[in-house]
Amino acid sequence: MNKPKIFRVFYQTGYSKGCIRVHVGNFFGNTTLKTIDKLLKLARVHCTSEQQNDLLMDLEEEKLLRTGTQRERIEKCIKRIKAQTWRKV
């Protein structure tokens, strides 16, 4: 059994620090694209390029493990990520 991949985004607001933690396969396979876009925007701003590349690799691995609708949704997310520029906004 594979250990679930976890992606974390640590961010700083004007008054506090925060963290979002998601299970890559479940989140990108089941969540709406609008919610996924919000997470990706946070990741572009607050994650290093190494963390962003790790997310892409984890998505590629999860794509191989999933079937049907979840796999199609993960493939769409991979295409969106590759189409976006992973740079500081």
Side-chain angles (χ1 to χ4, degrees):
M1 183 81 186
N2 288 337
K3 185 176 176 184
K5 308 281 187 210
I6 297 175
F7 179 67
R8 292 175 183 86
V9 178
F10 296 96
Y11 59 91
Q12 174 83 37
T13 64
Y15 302 102
S16 64
K17 295 180 181 179
C19 175
I20 296 174
R21 185 180 77 142
V22 297
H23 292 273
V24 174
N26 290 335
F27 180 80
F28 288 95
N30 297 321
T31 308
T32 63
L33 292 176
K34 184 176 179 179
T35 305
I36 291 170
D37 285 341
K38 289 179 183 179
L39 176 73
L40 293 178
K41 183 176 180 180
L42 275 175
R44 276 194 314 272
V45 174
H46 297 286
C47 291
T48 64
S49 60
E50 181 180 330
Q51 290 171 306
Q52 295 167 0
N53 288 333
D54 289 344
L55 174 60
L56 271 174
M57 290 188 314
D58 289 345
L59 282 169
E60 291 288 350
E61 287 179 28
E62 287 291 332
K63 179 179 79 171
L64 299 175
L65 300 173
R66 305 294 172 154
T67 59
T69 306
Q70 286 185 334
R71 182 179 182 143
E72 291 171 8
R73 189 177 298 253
I74 290 173
E75 287 173 345
K76 285 181 186 178
C77 293
I78 291 170
K79 288 178 185 177
R80 281 179 172 224
I81 291 171
K82 288 182 178 179
Q84 297 173 354
T85 54
W86 282 96
R87 59 179 169 78
K88 301 290 182 189
V89 175

